[in-house]
Amino acid sequence: MSALFEVYSLYDIEPVSARGALITDKLGMEYLDLYGGHAVISIGHSHPVYVNALKAQLDKLGFYSNSVINPLQLEMANKLREQSGCKDYSLFLCNSGAEANENALKLASFYNGRKRVISFQNGFHGRTSAAVAATDNRAIIAPINSQHATSILELNDEKSFLEAVSRNEVCAVILEAIQGVGGLDEPTASFYKLVEQKCREHNIVLIADEIQCGYGRSGLFFGFQHHGIQPDIISMAKGMGNGFPIGGVLVSNKFESKFGMLGTTFGGNHLACAAGIAVLDVLKQEDLINNARKLGEQFHKDAAEIPQVEQVKGRGLMLGLEFGFEVADLRKRLIYNQHVFTGSSKNKNVLRILPPLNISEQHLGRFLEALKKELK
Ligand SMILES: Cc1ncc(COP(=O)(O)O)c(C=O)c1O
């Protein structure tokens, strides 16, 4: 029996170092990383600004709790406000995506005193209790999580949405601007607008789950910004720390904070903030969000020319290629024959492409050539 509690099915690859969009394994084989370890690597592996910031912080102070002044938190919150354009929001820091959503849902329920959460089919919001109950995957909802009142509706179905909100018992609506795990489907702009409007009318809290599509991945800082929406709470993680475990919620100024209302031991610690600040600095200095948008547009055009590709999905560098067959075997061949990491999704026909936001055009071209070879 393994000393590890085995819950992951593993590829037989052992990475030992990485730089930019390239990973090297223990045999010295180089892989092109078009998956970023589940959309986590935003500014590239081992970016020197990031590495130096973490090393320097570790030499000074790695951790202290939230019972003392930590100016790095404020620096990060101010930079986040400025770079995201979300000036009327305040930041609460935690450690992961699920924890960000759990806190978002808790805040919503404190705010309006209600319990029911509306989420959408093929949505993924994490594995903690309220977050997993809102996730459309029965297999990961344990009996202890199923106590939550949730309505998982069809995405873009206005009728079922209007019916659900009319009961005046809804606490929050949570949705991704681009579904990650689900397979790159999106709410239409008109559906997202309707959701925003009805949330305002019924005092329902609108939560934008930007854990995967946020932090520049979609070609704008946040995915909901493609639709001109103003959510009440924005949850973030993944690209925020480029691999350092950090999550957060941006809370609009309609919520009043109270001491003790939310809390965490590790969230917002010094080392996490150093990572988060370095990510924001590099995103800005290297104009990576524009890079993501431009490369994404080019990728859409190039990938659409491959005859087996039925649809190119997503925006920026949050991309999916839909085929007329299941991609599990193709993914394996891309890894073992072509040395390219890609991702899967709940939609078994979609290959997910989530490279670092500073990947080069040449590397994307190399992937498309590798893909064509494996499709022959
Ligand atoms: C949209 C979305 N929300 C929440 C989560 C959960 O994040 P974490 O795994 O950091 O808890 C994920 C993870 O894939 C996600 O894609």
Side-chain angles (χ1 to χ4, degrees):
M1 190 180 103
S2 169
L4 289 174
F5 191 64
E6 293 178 309
V7 292
Y8 302 108
S9 93
L10 303 179
Y11 285 111
D12 188 16
I13 293 170
E14 193 180 320
V16 291
S17 64
R19 188 116 195 143
L22 297 173
I23 293 177
T24 307
D25 77 1
K26 69 171 183 185
L27 306 171
M29 183 62 73
E30 199 175 75
Y31 294 82
L32 183 57
D33 185 11
L34 291 198
Y35 191 49
H38 302 310
V40 164
I41 300 301
S42 47
I43 59 167
H45 291 280
S46 306
H47 193 291
V49 171
Y50 176 85
V51 171
N52 290 337
L54 278 166
K55 281 183 178 164
Q57 187 59 48
L58 201 49
D59 277 337
K60 285 191 279 187
L61 173 65
F63 170 84
Y64 206 77
S65 76
N66 284 303
S67 58
V68 294
I69 295 168
N70 177 352
L72 296 173
Q73 291 188 358
L74 196 58
E75 181 183 343
M76 184 167 165
N78 280 324
K79 286 187 166 166
L80 185 54
R81 267 187 179 168
E82 192 237 61
Q83 286 175 235
S84 67
C86 295
K87 303 228 174 275
D88 299 327
Y89 294 75
S90 308
L91 177 65
F92 172 75
L93 286 163
C94 56
N95 309 283
S96 70
E99 198 187 346
N101 280 337
E102 200 74 18
N103 279 296
L105 292 164
K106 180 183 265 206
L107 263 180
S109 184
F110 274 139
Y111 175 75
N112 58 21
R114 302 180 196 152
K115 291 184 185 168
R116 180 163 294 276
V117 172
I118 291 182
S119 59
F120 296 94
Q121 285 170 11
N122 295 327
F124 185 91
H125 303 293
R127 289 166 186 269
T128 56
S129 200
V132 82
T135 289
D136 184 21
N137 183 350
R138 299 291 324 160
I140 60 170
I141 302 177
I144 200 169
N145 312 131
S146 58
Q147 64 191 307
H148 298 276
T150 38
S151 306
I152 302 184
L153 308 178
E154 194 179 322
L155 189 64
N156 294 322
D157 181 357
E158 297 192 0
K159 191 162 163 278
S160 66
F161 178 72
L162 290 173
E163 219 169 83
V165 289
S166 68
R167 282 180 240 125
N168 267 338
E169 54 161 6
V170 177
C171 166
V173 176
I174 182 164
L175 83 166
E176 298 158 81
I178 306 171
Q179 292 185 331
V181 175
L184 283 301
D185 289 312
E186 300 180 32
T188 61
S190 61
F191 185 73
Y192 213 155
K193 280 268 179 214
L194 178 78
V195 169
E196 181 188 47
Q197 182 200 334
K198 292 294 156 189
C199 284
R200 297 279 175 278
E201 276 174 27
H202 295 272
N203 198 29
I204 298 167
V205 175
L206 175 55
I207 302 170
D209 181 339
E210 292 281 335
I211 286 158
Q212 189 160 152
C213 60
Y215 256 75
R217 184 152 288 285
S218 76
L220 291 179
F221 199 96
F222 287 124
F224 66 79
Q225 291 169 331
H226 292 282
H227 304 302
I229 298 297
Q230 281 214 305
D232 299 307
I233 303 178
I234 304 158
S235 53
M236 307 159 289
K238 295 205 186 270
M240 192 175 185
N242 198 48
F244 198 97
I246 178 168
V249 279
L250 278 173
V251 184
S252 90
N253 58 11
K254 78 182 200 190
F255 295 84
E256 202 184 320
S257 63
K258 288 199 190 85
F259 290 152
M261 181 182 207
L262 306 176
T264 152
T265 299
F266 297 117
N269 68 71
H270 296 72
L271 208 49
C273 285
I277 291 167
V279 167
L280 286 168
D281 287 347
V282 173
L283 283 178
K284 187 172 171 178
Q285 283 156 15
E286 299 185 7
D287 200 17
L288 293 188
I289 301 183
N290 277 328
N291 192 52
R293 201 187 52 248
K294 283 186 215 142
L295 289 183
E297 282 165 8
Q298 188 58 43
F299 185 90
H300 264 264
K301 286 185 202 139
D302 296 343
E305 282 173 16
I306 301 175
Q308 293 90 339
V309 172
E310 293 195 345
Q311 201 188 342
V312 188
K313 300 173 90 174
R315 296 171 191 253
L317 290 175
M318 181 159 180
L319 295 158
L321 297 178
E322 185 155 16
F323 295 90
F325 53 86
E326 295 191 3
V327 298
D329 188 54
L330 175 63
R331 236 187 117 205
K332 265 192 205 145
R333 284 186 282 121
L334 282 168
I335 291 188
Y336 292 122
N337 300 345
Q338 303 296 330
H339 306 128
V340 181
F341 284 2
T342 56
S344 62
S345 79
K346 192 176 171 195
N347 178 344
K348 292 189 168 20
N349 291 8
V350 170
L351 191 70
R352 269 200 298 165
I353 316 291
L354 300 157
L357 307 185
N358 57 357
I359 193 168
S360 65
E361 225 176 313
Q362 289 72 18
H363 278 145
L364 284 178
R366 181 173 140 195
F367 161 67
L368 288 170
E369 287 315 307
L371 178 65
K372 284 179 203 161
K373 275 191 203 147
E374 287 307 322
L375 288 170
K376 263 193 193 141

